[in-house]
Amino acid sequence: MTNKVTVLGSLNVDTTLRIKRMPQPGETLMTENKSSAAGGKGANQAVAAARAGAQTSFIGKVGKDSAGQFMVESLNDDQINTDGIAVDETVGTGSASILLDEEGQNSILVYGGSNKRVSKQEVDAAAEQIKHADFVIAQFETPQEAALEAFKMAKENGVVTILNPAPAAQIDPALLQVTDLIVPNETESASLTGIEITDDASMVASAKAFEKMGVKNLIITVGSKGAFYSTATEHDFVPAFKVKAVDTTAAGDTFIGALSSQLKTDLSNIATALVFAQRASSITVQRLGAMPSIPTVAEIKAASK
């Protein structure tokens, strides 16, 4: 059974600048390499879902420019339904500048552009993609109002909603009320609950805090350590696969997209889906770039042997 996944989110052209180390304030550094590729949290998650075997649709916005055409074509290359991508006549396509050091750590500067103009209008136009999905995914590089509209529509049609609260931001409480599964990293989780992630007890406390906000299911990704999950029936911590990271860009996005491709709508297989997602992101961090580094289902299965 192939999962149908609809992603509402951002489309950015990523420019990666490779440097020895991060610059100090006021310091000028030479870059060792410069490359551009398709990216954006939403686009990365959609590509990860599609490459991991899900039937994927996208809702978003690009500018009337060559970057926008490039982004739509990039998604089409992965057989993603792009009918839900609108064109903004006045604002350019989103972009991101990524500083990447020798340790594989990154700092990212994002220009929202047309991503910031995604509205209820785009969501309503893509109603069919939402109603017929198994999962609808949203993040915070597009406005929360659009995510709220999409999640409400999803819930009315029995579709499971997954929220990736990144970049960290204040969340509209109404959005949490229509979120089935929230997937923050440890920093985002701490900023939303006020509970610092230090051990199992703090993760369990975080799950209870999210439940009070209206979200019954939680996955917290903890970088190279692994991921914690909590549902109504179980909770556990699953260690990450040990690999040498060269570029952590899109690791979290790969995790969420790959997870959605395997997860059952009742979340009964969350533990095995989570291991599959971790395997996918462990491949991503061993390669350069955002979208180009995301593995296919064949690569994930081969690495699992």
Side-chain angles (χ1 to χ4, degrees):
M1 183 71 181
T2 301
N3 278 2
K4 291 180 183 170
V5 176
T6 295
V7 179
L8 165 69
S10 54
L11 298 143
N12 292 331
V13 176
D14 290 347
T15 299
T16 301
L17 303 168
R18 298 202 69 190
I19 50 180
K20 281 194 182 298
R21 58 174 175 79
M22 292 298 163
Q24 300 297 315
E27 182 182 23
T28 300
L29 289 181
M30 296 298 288
T31 62
E32 300 182 347
N33 191 285
K34 176 184 173 183
S35 59
S36 289
K41 282 196 161 302
N44 293 339
Q45 290 173 17
V47 166
R51 289 184 189 169
Q55 188 179 321
T56 311
S57 300
F58 198 88
I59 304 167
K61 210 166 203 181
V62 293
K64 195 175 183 181
D65 47 32
S66 57
Q69 285 178 303
F70 169 66
M71 287 306 305
V72 172
E73 285 164 10
S74 296
L75 296 191
N76 286 337
D77 286 344
D78 279 291
Q79 278 73 54
I80 293 166
N81 179 341
T82 55
D83 292 350
I85 299 178
V87 176
D88 194 296
E89 302 281 336
T90 56
V91 179
T93 300
S95 63
S97 299
I98 301 164
L99 299 179
L100 176 67
D101 72 13
E102 285 185 337
E103 300 299 310
Q105 291 303 311
N106 59 38
S107 292
I108 305 175
L109 300 168
V110 177
Y111 163 66
S114 52
N115 293 314
K116 295 294 179 192
R117 305 282 284 265
V118 176
S119 67
K120 184 177 181 293
Q121 190 177 342
E122 281 71 50
V123 173
D124 290 345
E128 291 307 303
Q129 284 100 302
I130 293 170
K131 289 174 183 175
H132 295 111
D134 295 306
F135 297 95
V136 171
I137 304 173
Q139 337 70 32
F140 289 162
E141 285 183 345
T142 46
Q144 288 189 37
E145 295 79 19
L148 177 59
E149 181 70 13
F151 278 20
K152 278 182 175 172
M153 192 181 291
K155 296 315 299 164
E156 284 163 10
N157 290 276
V159 178
V160 178
T161 56
I162 302 175
L163 180 64
N164 173 216
Q170 288 293 112
I171 304 187
D172 178 351
L175 181 56
L176 291 172
Q177 296 294 322
V178 285
T179 297
D180 292 309
L181 171 64
I182 192 164
V183 191
N185 64 24
E186 75 262 49
T187 311
E188 291 148 3
S189 178
S191 79
L192 294 169
T193 64
I195 301 165
E196 196 178 336
I197 301 300
T198 52
D199 55 13
D200 278 357
S202 62
M203 293 189 238
V204 171
S206 299
K208 287 180 177 151
F210 278 115
E211 198 172 346
K212 277 187 185 157
M213 295 181 213
V215 190
K216 293 185 173 65
N217 306 290
L218 166 71
I219 294 174
I220 303 173
T221 56
V222 191
S224 59
K225 293 190 183 76
F228 168 83
Y229 72 90
S230 175
T231 67
T233 55
E234 58 179 325
H235 66 81
D236 200 2
F237 188 85
V238 181
F241 296 99
K242 294 278 175 265
V243 294
K244 169 90 174 89
V246 296
D247 183 0
T248 54
T249 311
D253 297 332
T254 300
F255 178 91
I256 288 166
L259 180 86
S260 71
S261 76
Q262 304 300 306
L263 203 57
K264 291 181 178 171
T265 51
D266 63 359
L267 310 190
S268 60
N269 68 333
I270 191 165
T272 53
L274 195 151
V275 171
F276 179 91
Q278 285 192 334
R279 180 68 77 186
S281 58
S282 78
I283 297 170
T284 294
V285 300
Q286 295 178 74
R287 302 168 171 177
L288 287 174
M291 212 175 276
S293 69
I294 297 169
T296 62
V297 65
E299 289 173 320
I300 300 164
K301 285 180 176 171
S304 304
K305 286 175 181 171

